[in-house]
Amino acid sequence: QVQLVESGGGSVQAGGSLRLSCAVSGLTFAMYALGWFRQAPGNEREFVASVSADAHTSYAASVKGRFTISRDNNENTVYLQMNNLKPEDTGVYYCAAGWVGGTMRHQFDYWGQGTQVTVSS
């Protein structure tokens, strides 16, 4: 029933930009916190950014100042604008939704399948 579908991933050169989108269905979108996580090969899935139901945002230190998370409650979509991309940003990016939200994986109940982001140097 609940579905999160990421899009916008791809390959870019260092210093470039990419915008990820996540379309959410099957829940009352405006009541949920949304988050973005990423996972590189051999690493744990890590927090990137989140936005609460009241539009409060939080960012990992590694992306602060470069990434921007936003939500459109009319379109039931959460976005991640990624600027000045670095090779270490490479990984599979997942969007997630949770009733409470936060910065940890277990605080989110629903997950998308992920979209690959590759940044070359």
Side-chain angles (χ1 to χ4, degrees):
Q1 289 285 95
V2 177
Q3 189 172 23
L4 287 74
V5 181
E6 301 96 337
S7 62
S11 298
V12 298
Q13 293 185 337
S17 297
L18 208 58
R19 189 191 191 214
L20 305 183
S21 300
C22 177
V24 181
S25 61
L27 51 76
T28 306
F29 183 87
M31 300 298 294
Y32 280 76
L34 292 310
W36 287 96
F37 293 75
R38 68 188 182 190
Q39 187 168 19
N43 292 101
E44 294 291 314
R45 189 173 300 184
E46 65 177 0
F47 170 77
V48 176
S50 67
V51 56
S52 68
D54 63 355
H56 176 76
T57 59
S58 183
Y59 298 92
S62 59
V63 307
K64 194 172 298 182
R66 299 188 297 121
F67 290 11
T68 302
I69 188 171
S70 61
R71 64 189 298 160
D72 187 334
N73 289 347
N74 293 319
E75 297 294 329
N76 286 11
T77 302
V78 60
Y79 304 94
L80 185 68
Q81 178 66 47
M82 305 184 292
N83 297 325
N84 192 25
L85 283 161
K86 304 175 180 180
E88 52 262 43
D89 294 319
T90 293
V92 178
Y93 283 68
Y94 301 87
C95 66
W99 182 247
V100 176
T103 61
M104 303 184 73
R105 296 186 300 277
H106 66 82
Q107 295 176 310
F108 293 86
D109 305 305
Y110 306 102
W111 295 82
Q113 293 299 306
T115 185
Q116 177 70 44
V117 172
T118 302
V119 184
S120 61
S121 59

